[in-house]
Amino acid sequence: MPRSSALIVTKHNHLIEATYMLSLSEQRLLLLTIARIDSRAILEPGICHTITASEIADSYSLPRDQAYELLINVAERLYERSVVICDPDPDRPDVSQLRTRWVASIRYLPSRGSIELIFAPAILPFLSQLKRKFSSYRLEHVAPMTSIYAIRLYELLIQWRESGTRTVEIDWLRERFELGDKYPNIRDLKARVLNPAIDQINAHSDLYVKWEQHKRGRVVHALTFTFGPKAGQTSEAEAKPQSPAKSAKPKLSRAYIEQHAQPGESWEEATERCRRKLEQESA
């Protein structure tokens, strides 16, 4: 299995902006499994994905016994988890929401120290055959994170990597994180969710993030996040092209195209546009 530095997580943007709650162990297992999927290819229903404790340990720098325990916890709970995706099908505008399980089945194999996971059929269009409206990032950028909200917030920001800023309503963010009645006070929300998430993104990922709050009267109603790549820490998958005087010419790789694809583009359109862009910059 490739090292986490070579594993790229790719999701449809609708899935990134979906409403769900997963534990850290569940997120880690799903991200590792998703990173092993070829997002351009067809993923047939019923395909079995095997994940071992050794792979978990290597990807997240965990002791083997802790990785083994992670698999046990996931096997017990992940099947019950669901996700709500808004406007899931452009061909069915009458469908406002889709609720589906993440997995159709999950089996634990203690003698092998592994689990077998099969994704739910309804989740497959958001993980495979992706040609537009998707986002990608290296697993290593979230692997050290221990805040479930840090991983979610990082994903919500990378969709807007080209602009470097994103403003969200607090109620919208609370819904996406499935906070329910937790942390109704903005002070508690900052202390338990926002500040730890920002600290971990800044400490572990390829991004630096700043944020500010917006008020209506005395009530904080929205947040603006400003972010960009850290100096000297950008990777091939996320790096913005630089002039030849500053760096080597970027290659027209799958990672480059996924990073620079624009909403609404097909894979072929994004490839051609990126090719022309690189040719112009190298001229």
Side-chain angles (χ1 to χ4, degrees), residues 18 28 143 156 267:
R28 284 177 163 175
L156 290 172
W267 178 261

Side-chain angles (χ1 to χ4, degrees), residues 22 38 69 107 118 127 140-141 177 209 254 256 264 273:
L22 293 171
D38 183 347
E69 186 70 20
R107 293 174 292 208
I118 297 176
L127 299 175
E140 66 176 340
H141 294 325
F177 288 178
V209 184
R254 175 195 170 199
Y256 182 92
R273 185 178 55 76

Side-chain angles (χ1 to χ4, degrees), residues 14-15 17-21 82-86 152 175-178:
H14 284 355
L15 182 56
E17 302 209 355
T19 295
Y20 63 87
M21 170 60 71
S82 63
V83 55
V84 177
I85 303 171
C86 294
R152 291 296 315 277
E175 181 181 351
R176 294 309 176 274
F177 288 178
E178 250 187 24

Side-chain angles (χ1 to χ4, degrees), residues 142-158:
V142 300
M145 296 179 185
T146 56
S147 164
I148 59 175
Y149 306 116
I151 297 173
R152 291 296 315 277
L153 181 58
Y154 176 84
E155 290 188 337
L156 290 172
L157 295 182
I158 60 165

Side-chain angles (χ1 to χ4, degrees), residues 5-238:
S5 59
L7 290 169
I8 296 178
V9 178
T10 302
K11 297 180 181 180
H12 194 287
N13 290 339
H14 284 355
L15 182 56
I16 287 178
E17 302 209 355
T19 295
Y20 63 87
M21 170 60 71
L22 293 171
S23 69
L24 179 63
S25 297
E26 292 158 355
Q27 283 202 58
R28 284 177 163 175
L29 173 69
L30 285 174
L31 290 178
L32 179 58
T33 309
I34 291 170
R36 296 171 60 183
I37 295 173
D38 183 347
S39 61
R40 299 167 299 175
I42 297 175
L43 184 60
E44 297 288 352
I47 295 296
C48 183
H49 306 271
T50 302
I51 304 292
T52 68
S54 294
E55 290 168 344
I56 291 285
D58 292 342
S59 297
Y60 295 104
S61 299
L62 298 175
R64 290 294 190 273
D65 57 347
Q66 186 175 341
Y68 188 80
E69 186 70 20
L70 184 153
L71 285 179
I72 294 176
N73 292 336
V74 170
E76 291 176 351
R77 298 194 304 262
L78 184 57
Y79 178 75
E80 301 299 329
R81 300 295 194 182
S82 63
V83 55
V84 177
I85 303 171
C86 294
D87 303 317
D89 188 347
D91 296 327
R92 290 287 309 276
D94 56 319
V95 178
S96 62
Q97 288 186 342
L98 165 69
R99 179 181 290 274
T100 177
R101 296 181 187 269
W102 287 93
V103 300
S105 68
I106 185 165
R107 293 174 292 208
Y108 180 57
L109 290 71
S111 62
R112 302 178 186 176
S114 65
I115 63 171
E116 294 178 344
L117 179 153
I118 297 176
F119 282 109
I123 208 76
L124 298 183
F126 304 96
L127 299 175
S128 61
Q129 292 185 275
L130 300 180
K131 296 181 179 180
R132 59 179 184 174
K133 296 184 179 180
F134 59 83
S135 298
S136 300
Y137 62 90
R138 291 188 182 276
L139 181 63
E140 66 176 340
H141 294 325
V142 300
M145 296 179 185
T146 56
S147 164
I148 59 175
Y149 306 116
I151 297 173
R152 291 296 315 277
L153 181 58
Y154 176 84
E155 290 188 337
L156 290 172
L157 295 182
I158 60 165
Q159 297 177 80
W160 296 69
R161 187 184 284 117
E162 292 294 331
S163 66
T165 183
R166 182 170 194 181
T167 298
V168 298
E169 294 286 329
I170 286 183
D171 288 345
W172 182 91
L173 193 65
R174 291 180 58 86
E175 181 181 351
R176 294 309 176 274
F177 288 178
E178 250 187 24
L179 292 179
D181 296 330
K182 291 182 178 179
Y183 322 126
N185 187 289
I186 186 62
R187 185 176 303 172
D188 292 336
L189 185 67
K190 291 179 184 178
R192 300 297 186 90
V193 177
L194 295 173
N195 287 334
I198 295 297
D199 288 346
Q200 291 198 12
I201 291 173
N202 285 332
H204 302 302
S205 82
D206 58 324
L207 298 181
Y208 71 86
V209 184
K210 300 177 181 179
W211 65 287
E212 60 181 318
Q213 60 189 33
H214 305 286
K215 291 184 177 181
R216 288 195 185 110
R218 307 174 84 177
V219 177
V220 178
H221 73 94
L223 305 169
T224 293
F225 299 94
T226 304
F227 54 95
K230 293 175 182 173
Q233 296 192 27
T234 54
S235 64
E236 182 185 357
E238 292 84 17

